[in-house]
Amino acid sequence: MTHWLIMPIVLPALLAPFIILAARYHMGIQRVFSIAGVLALIAIALGLAIETSDGTVMLYQLGDWAAPFGIVLVGDRLSTMMVLLMSVLALFVLLYAIGSKWDERGRMFHALFQFQLMGIAGAFLTGDLFNLFVFFEVLLIASYGLMIHSGGNVRLRAGVQYVLFNLLGSTLFLFALGALYAETGTLNMADLAQRVQMISADETVGIRVAAVLLILVFAIKAAIVPLHFWLPSSYAEAPPPVAALFAIMTKVGAYAIIRVYTLIFPVDLDVTAGLHGTWLLPVSLLSLAVGAVGVLAAKKLDRLVAFSVISSMGMVMVAVSLFTPVSISAALYYMVHSTLAAAALFLIVDLVRQSRGHLDLVTDAPIAGAALIAGLFFVAAIAMTGLPPMSGFIGKLMVLNAAFDTGPSVWIWTVVLTASLISIVGFARAGSVLFWKAQSDGAPVPEMGRPAPSALSCVAVGGLLMLLMAHTIFAGPIYNYTTATADQLFQPDAYIKTVLDTPGKMSGAKADDHEGDH
């Protein structure tokens, strides 16, 4: 058992209270420790990803108590890949927050930022559904504090809407956990994978209810239509660095669907056959279409980017809903791409606001430093809409290829291509208003009176775009990795064996004796 597996949770969990207690009034110290913590997190996450790249499943038993009685953390290709993505994203978001001084516009930004990283990492690494719920709540609390950072009535109203909608999801999650525990007597995911298989066909009501409730909960987290209403306002009104970090929050929902519905409720399980496969694809296609129409209809740049997140999640979930190794591999590749592209766009939104004064797409207004911001927007927009040569184009090709021989392939190809065209028109319209019409009407460019973007802010955005380019250049090796990850997900025996057969303080015999006493 390696203690490194718990470090992505422990490190930010220790840094957050340290920042509060020891550096509350020293922003410089907060920044140093926050950046140092994220850099350490990247190093740890990279080490874990390398360790699991050969198919190894890592296990950490808290207190050395064996599953299913103890709390366990599990690291495989999928979970370590997502922790690494979160860590890298956090670094560039943090650099932007420091460069733009967003971290100075409210209290406890860096502490809340670390708590947020703790919750996200825990959600990716936990091997227990109840602890997944716990880390969801950590996410909710920290994200609400970050969302209302720097205050404002509009931001507070959007934050309340965000919390209420996610509290509804948390309530459904508890109902689902209660139903699962009543039927199986466990919430450990590896143990559930075995026990669900043993349930007879005439005793499946509770399990079917739990399976439906769980996918509803995860659909809320992933902002799948029609459970997406919380996202546009919440992401548009959040501070831009926070919205950029939130780009990975919807991926937590997608990750949970992939994990639970390949491990506990696989597509070939008779008990829950058809429950998720029947309707998940239609709502995913609807999410893709609704997000694209929202991009076209948006009157403000921040809402345009928020709707592009919904559309990109629709693309991810289209691939996930096919539940084949090829489609899951495509979904994972596109998931990385959409996270980086959405984060870059949210940061560019802030650059536009700083230089232009507002984000209205109805009226023209000149932008100070338009050439640099226009270049950044152009690259990010190409990436998000899926135009060549960026990784979004490759990701969409992977998804379309995965759907080619399936029954609904005509619907998938039609909706994906149509939604992509609509998104291209929407982003082109926004770029035209921001960078072409405003500069060609002869209006003076307001070089004075508005601060130019800081060098660190531009480095942060440029870094995200460079990662997108690397994601394109190394698409082959990355796709090989996601293919191996998908194969591991559809062959969960190693995961289950590692979790349940690794001894701890309570061995299998003692556990049986313990159950016999009751």
Side-chain angles (χ1 to χ4, degrees):
M1 181 174 68
T2 174
H3 292 280
W4 286 110
L5 192 58
I6 198 174
M7 289 305 295
I9 301 172
V10 170
L11 180 61
L14 294 177
L15 269 178
F18 173 81
I19 290 172
I20 294 173
L21 296 174
R24 180 184 303 181
Y25 303 110
H26 304 278
M27 182 57 66
I29 297 176
Q30 292 184 35
R31 289 171 172 174
V32 168
F33 276 94
S34 195
I35 291 178
V38 171
L39 288 173
L41 197 59
I42 291 174
I44 294 168
L46 182 60
L48 295 176
I50 294 172
E51 180 71 18
T52 59
S53 62
D54 61 353
T56 300
V57 179
M58 303 176 69
L59 179 71
Y60 184 83
Q61 300 168 327
L62 273 76
D64 202 24
W65 284 75
F69 300 97
I71 298 172
V72 296
L73 302 176
V74 186
D76 60 359
R77 286 190 180 103
L78 176 60
S79 58
T80 55
M81 181 190 81
M82 296 305 294
V83 172
L84 180 59
L85 174 62
M86 173 207 73
S87 305
V88 173
L89 174 66
L91 175 63
F92 291 102
V93 170
L94 193 57
L95 289 176
Y96 185 90
I98 294 171
S100 60
K101 301 188 184 303
W102 266 102
D103 59 339
E104 296 181 356
R105 303 186 192 184
R107 302 183 64 184
M108 305 304 171
F109 175 87
H110 290 281
L112 290 170
F113 191 89
Q114 295 297 325
F115 277 129
Q116 184 81 350
L117 297 182
M118 168 195 167
I120 297 173
F124 289 143
L125 292 173
T126 183
D128 184 281
L129 280 180
F130 182 77
N131 286 291
L132 181 61
F133 166 78
V134 171
F135 284 117
F136 274 7
E137 296 310 295
V138 174
L139 285 176
L140 180 62
I141 295 170
S143 60
Y144 179 67
L146 287 172
M147 181 171 292
I148 62 173
H149 178 75
S150 82
N153 291 333
V154 175
R155 187 166 292 150
L156 180 62
R157 184 164 58 248
V160 170
Q161 177 186 350
Y162 167 82
V163 168
L164 290 177
F165 213 88
N166 279 272
L167 282 177
L168 172 62
S170 299
T171 303
L172 295 177
F173 204 169
L174 280 179
F175 289 157
L177 295 180
L180 271 178
Y181 193 80
E183 293 293 326
T184 64
T186 185
L187 291 175
N188 179 277
M189 287 191 274
D191 199 28
L192 276 170
Q194 290 189 336
R195 297 198 183 195
V196 168
Q197 299 277 354
M198 297 185 291
I199 296 177
S200 60
D202 57 346
E203 298 177 351
T204 63
V205 175
I207 290 296
R208 293 172 71 86
V209 169
V212 171
L213 288 176
L214 282 176
I215 205 164
L216 284 174
V217 172
F218 301 149
I220 291 174
K221 301 296 183 183
I224 300 174
V225 174
L227 303 174
H228 69 294
F229 295 107
W230 61 271
L231 189 145
S233 295
S234 300
Y235 279 37
E237 300 301 338
V242 175
L245 181 63
F246 282 8
I248 201 170
M249 294 276 283
T250 49
K251 309 310 183 295
V252 175
Y255 165 86
I257 291 176
I258 293 172
R259 176 69 73 190
V260 170
Y261 290 91
T262 56
L263 179 62
I264 303 174
F265 305 118
V267 291
D268 57 351
L269 182 66
D270 293 334
V271 173
T272 56
L275 282 182
H276 47 280
T278 301
W279 63 269
L280 187 56
L281 177 58
V283 298
S284 300
L285 291 172
L286 185 60
S287 299
L288 182 57
V290 169
V293 172
V295 168
L296 183 62
K299 296 181 179 180
K300 295 183 66 177
L301 185 60
D302 50 4
R303 293 187 70 86
L304 180 148
V305 177
F307 275 105
S308 72
V309 172
I310 295 174
S311 183
S312 69
M313 280 308 301
M315 178 66 69
V316 169
M317 295 312 303
V318 165
V320 170
S321 63
L322 298 175
F323 283 106
T324 64
V326 175
S327 69
I328 295 296
S329 177
L332 295 178
Y333 181 89
Y334 194 85
M335 197 183 299
V336 175
H337 154 80
S338 63
T339 300
L340 299 175
L345 280 169
F346 277 118
L347 298 184
I348 292 169
V349 165
D350 191 50
L351 294 180
V352 172
R353 181 189 285 111
Q354 292 178 32
S355 302
R356 189 171 184 246
H358 63 87
L359 299 173
D360 193 351
L361 296 177
V362 178
T363 59
D364 304 334
I367 295 181
L372 174 61
I373 300 175
L376 296 174
F377 178 84
F378 181 71
V379 176
I382 286 178
M384 181 57 86
T385 55
L387 287 173
M390 299 300 287
S391 54
F393 178 72
I394 299 174
K396 287 187 178 181
L397 284 182
M398 292 178 182
V399 174
L400 293 175
N401 177 65
F404 187 75
D405 293 327
T406 62
S409 60
V410 174
W411 285 103
I412 294 174
W413 276 64
T414 300
V415 174
V416 168
L417 295 177
T418 303
S420 298
L421 177 60
I422 294 173
S423 295
I424 291 170
V425 174
F427 272 95
R429 179 182 66 91
S432 174
V433 171
L434 292 173
F435 305 111
W436 182 47
K437 290 183 179 180
Q439 306 303 323
S440 62
D441 60 3
V445 177
E447 296 291 349
M448 303 299 294
R450 290 178 189 159
S454 69
L456 189 57
S457 298
C458 294
V459 166
V461 178
L464 289 172
L465 297 181
M466 291 297 292
L467 287 177
L468 283 169
M469 294 177 186
H471 197 51
T472 305
I473 295 170
F474 298 103
I478 293 172
Y479 182 67
N480 291 336
Y481 184 89
T482 60
T483 299
T485 302
D487 290 340
Q488 186 179 44
L489 288 169
F490 282 90
Q491 297 173 3
D493 292 344
Y495 183 104
I496 296 171
K497 180 178 176 60
T498 300
V499 173
L500 297 182
D501 292 353
T502 302
K505 285 185 176 179
M506 181 175 285
S507 67
K510 290 181 179 180
D512 292 339
D513 294 342
H514 179 77
E515 289 181 344
D517 293 340
H518 294 278

